[in-house]
């Protein structure tokens, strides 16, 4: 980057140039707020004509508690939904990247839409893949979510979203 001095207000010009340089090279922080999770879910739901979800502090408390339990091992092991029988999506990202809500929701779960056929309410995912995360995201009757993200002891990232009421009932279409 080149800097030009105009001869006027050198301190201001230098400060502005340095600020522009800092903005140009500083990566954006990962977005993991409750609203980020809600917006990502609602974008996918809107695409198929399903009403929005909203953030629920009780569901989020459950998600935070479970994420804290997984911090020791980052294992993709379902919680069982707890006493309230919440639905659940899990994401794990390896150490070395600042995995975000967008990586989990849009980059993983919603990406499964490519294998879901709404007409037949079936999944044609390749071996080792599924559509169940996607269908939970867009499950019409799931109207409240709570999500949590934790950096695990091994440096990986564990993200969980829980859904109330739960979805993915056999034989039922998500929307």
């Amino acid at each position: 980057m080149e800097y030009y001095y105009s001869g006027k207000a050198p301190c201001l010009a230098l400060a502005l140039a340095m600020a522009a340089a800092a903005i140009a090279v500083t990566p954006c922080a990962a977005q993991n707020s409750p609203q980020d999770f809600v917006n990502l879910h609602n974008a996918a739901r809107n695409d198929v004509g399903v009403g929005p979800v909203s953030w629920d502090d009780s569901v989020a408390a459950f998600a935070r508690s479970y994420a804290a339990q997984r911090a020791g091992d980052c294992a993709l092991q379902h919680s069982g939904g707890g006493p309230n029988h919440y639905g659940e999506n899990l994401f794990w990202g390896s150490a070395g990247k600042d995995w975000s809500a967008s990586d989990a929701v849009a980059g993983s779960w919603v990406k499964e839409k490519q294998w879901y056929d709404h007409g037949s309410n079936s999944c044609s995912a390749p071996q080792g893949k599924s559509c169940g995360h996607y269908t939970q995201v867009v499950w019409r009757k799931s109207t409240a979510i709570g999500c949590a993200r934790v950096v695990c002891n091994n440096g990986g990232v564990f993200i969980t979203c829980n859904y109330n009421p739960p979805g993915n009932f056999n034989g039922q279409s998500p929307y």
Side-chain angles (χ1 to χ4, degrees):
M1 180 173 277
E2 295 180 2
Y3 299 102
Y4 295 98
Y5 172 54
S6 67
K8 296 180 182 173
C11 292
L12 178 59
L14 181 57
L16 290 173
M18 290 175 60
I23 291 169
V25 298
T26 303
C28 295
Q31 300 297 303
N32 300 301
S33 73
Q35 196 60 52
D36 294 320
F37 282 102
V38 167
N39 290 346
L40 290 160
H41 277 78
N42 286 339
R45 294 169 70 88
N46 187 58
D47 283 349
V48 294
V50 175
V53 293
S54 59
W55 190 260
D56 183 288
D57 289 333
S58 296
V59 179
F62 176 82
R64 282 191 305 276
S65 174
Y66 188 64
Q69 292 176 43
R70 295 274 59 96
D73 59 14
C74 235
L76 284 176
Q77 176 181 336
H78 283 281
S79 68
N84 295 312
H85 307 288
Y86 297 131
E88 182 170 79
N89 278 342
L90 303 177
F91 173 88
W92 170 80
S94 60
K97 183 176 176 193
D98 191 20
W99 300 97
S100 68
S102 181
D103 293 312
V105 181
S108 183
W109 306 333
V110 173
K111 192 173 180 181
E112 294 176 1
K113 180 180 183 178
Q114 65 187 311
W115 302 308
Y116 178 69
D117 178 5
H118 179 64
S120 64
N121 191 31
S122 65
C123 182
S124 61
Q127 184 73 22
K129 303 288 184 178
S130 77
C131 298
H133 302 99
Y134 168 70
T135 55
Q136 177 59 84
V137 168
V138 298
W139 197 266
R140 181 182 305 277
K141 293 179 182 175
S142 295
T143 57
I145 67 168
C147 305
R149 176 189 180 277
V150 66
V151 177
C152 301
N153 296 345
N154 64 11
V157 173
F158 180 88
I159 297 174
T160 179
C161 284
N162 291 95
Y163 303 84
N164 192 31
N168 284 345
F169 291 99
N170 286 333
Q172 293 184 24
S173 176
Y175 54 91

